[in-house]
Amino acid sequence: MAADDLLVVGLDLDTGRHVHIEDRPMDQWRTLGYRHRESLVCAACFLGLDGVPAGTSVPLIPRGRIGGARRHHFAHPPHMAPPGGHHPETLWHLEAKAQLERWARSLPYVTEVRQEQWIPGRERRADVHVRLADGSRLALEAQSSLITDSLWQQRHRDYAVAGIRDIWFMRPGTALPHVLLAEQSAVCILDLADRQVRILWGHPHPRTGRWWESEDLSRYALHHPPCAGDDLHEETVPLAQLGLNSRGLVLSEDLEHKLTAEHQGIRHKAAEARRQAEQDNQRAHQLAARAGHHRAAPSPTPPSRPARPVRRAAPPRPRCAVCGGRLADVLARYGVHISIRTADGWVDCLDQPCAAPRPQPVPAEPAHTPAAPAPHAA
């Protein structure tokens, strides 16, 4: 049996909801499954995914036993799965939505959870839509394949316009969109088999220059969410230990304590660096003052003639690249006269003619004539 078979998601035709093997005891699922009521069907087949006609009802078989090597799961009856089986991304996406829905329903202050819920205006449909007791809304997105930066930004902005905060859970091995880090969003990798989430943190930034004067010192310690270009650090936590509030994802208590300790530590180091810089500055001033007090009086030097000021050559006046004539200051940026056509020919904007310079004849050198002999003295 392929490992992906463990991700088959059921659809309860009586309720119209996606279901998971752990939602009910195994005996109840067997009653609803294959060769019984058959109201428990494959969600992927019913949705018409992976080449199966939409509405296809394939009853599922609940499998697994206590203490077995495999966890409980749904499976297709023999020879009733689509040719080649369901695509791994299809199975992961359906199972991820089911797990996220169950997790959100288990959290306090959550009043409503729905899969595939349209946002107002129907610009976007959330994988899992969550409403909290204070009225705030969240969208849990399960991303099973690479998404481009532009497409992620479109979805993110659509949710923001609707007043919904989006949280993205990525399939293991999926490349992360760079914009996800640039937007300072939480980065979560959802491992369905272990029901754990790998939270990505940013490694500390290099402490260079007067780093202790930075407004955000947390970047010089392990920080969450990570920044674009950070070396990434992973923290693994069970999905059940995470939470939700109006600001988005809530880390587990252990991760919050670790993050707080990291921030306190870097603030302490910044205070030490600040004190050390002040001490070094005071010491430098003291040494400079002491050196000035003990410096010997300079011996008188003979007066010297004042140096002649060096005349700097004036910058060349800009000239037209066409006619070679001088350009007005307002035309210097163009490099040529701005010409317009008139009945008399081309003239520049200052009503001066502008034409290519004509070659001037070079005057012939006078013929060499021998000098007259000087008269002899009488």
Side-chain angles (χ1 to χ4, degrees), residues 195-215:
R195 299 177 190 175
Q196 293 184 330
V197 177
R198 301 204 304 268
I199 308 293
L200 299 189
W201 291 20
H203 271 288
H205 293 191
R207 297 199 292 265
T208 58
R210 300 179 67 86
W211 65 272
W212 57 87
E213 295 179 349
S214 174
E215 294 182 0

Side-chain angles (χ1 to χ4, degrees), residues 114-311:
R114 291 185 179 180
Q115 287 192 36
E116 300 295 334
Q117 175 71 28
W118 286 101
I119 66 175
R122 302 182 70 86
E123 293 88 358
R124 191 69 57 194
R125 187 168 59 182
D127 286 340
V128 180
H129 179 269
V130 179
R131 186 183 296 273
L132 303 181
D134 61 0
S136 56
R137 294 176 296 162
L138 307 172
L140 311 182
E141 289 292 322
Q143 189 62 35
S144 59
S145 59
L146 175 63
I147 182 173
T148 63
D149 286 352
S150 59
L151 182 55
W152 185 91
Q153 283 183 315
Q154 290 176 10
R155 294 184 181 180
H156 180 68
R157 289 169 182 168
D158 287 344
Y159 284 131
V161 170
I164 299 175
R165 183 173 292 274
D166 51 323
I167 306 172
W168 292 73
F169 295 84
M170 312 299 292
R171 181 186 177 202
T174 302
L176 299 176
H178 297 289
V179 70
L180 190 66
L181 302 177
E183 292 282 354
Q184 294 283 279
S185 296
V187 183
C188 309
I189 299 175
L190 179 58
D191 188 340
L192 296 178
D194 297 331
R195 299 177 190 175
Q196 293 184 330
V197 177
R198 301 204 304 268
I199 308 293
L200 299 189
W201 291 20
H203 271 288
H205 293 191
R207 297 199 292 265
T208 58
R210 300 179 67 86
W211 65 272
W212 57 87
E213 295 179 349
S214 174
E215 294 182 0
D216 187 4
L217 293 174
S218 66
R219 297 294 176 255
Y220 299 100
L222 279 176
H223 50 279
H224 178 268
C227 306
D230 279 352
D231 292 331
L232 299 179
H233 166 79
E234 291 186 357
E235 292 283 353
T236 303
V237 61
L239 176 62
Q241 293 184 9
L242 300 176
L244 295 172
N245 62 19
S246 58
R247 296 186 300 275
L249 188 70
V250 178
L251 300 180
S252 65
E253 291 185 4
D254 291 343
L255 294 187
E256 287 288 0
H257 290 330
K258 182 172 183 177
L259 194 62
T260 300
E262 288 281 335
H263 293 176
Q264 289 176 347
I266 198 61
R267 285 195 294 268
H268 179 70
K269 291 180 180 179
E272 290 181 347
R274 190 179 301 109
R275 285 194 296 269
Q276 185 64 46
E278 292 174 353
Q279 292 175 2
D280 293 344
N281 192 32
Q282 291 177 358
R283 190 176 297 110
H285 281 296
Q286 292 172 358
L287 292 176
R290 192 175 304 165
H293 180 73
H294 294 288
R295 186 181 299 130
S299 57
T301 56
S304 57
R305 294 181 179 179
R308 294 182 178 179
V310 178
R311 295 184 178 179

Side-chain angles (χ1 to χ4, degrees), residues 50 52 81-86:
D50 300 322
V52 180
H86 287 297

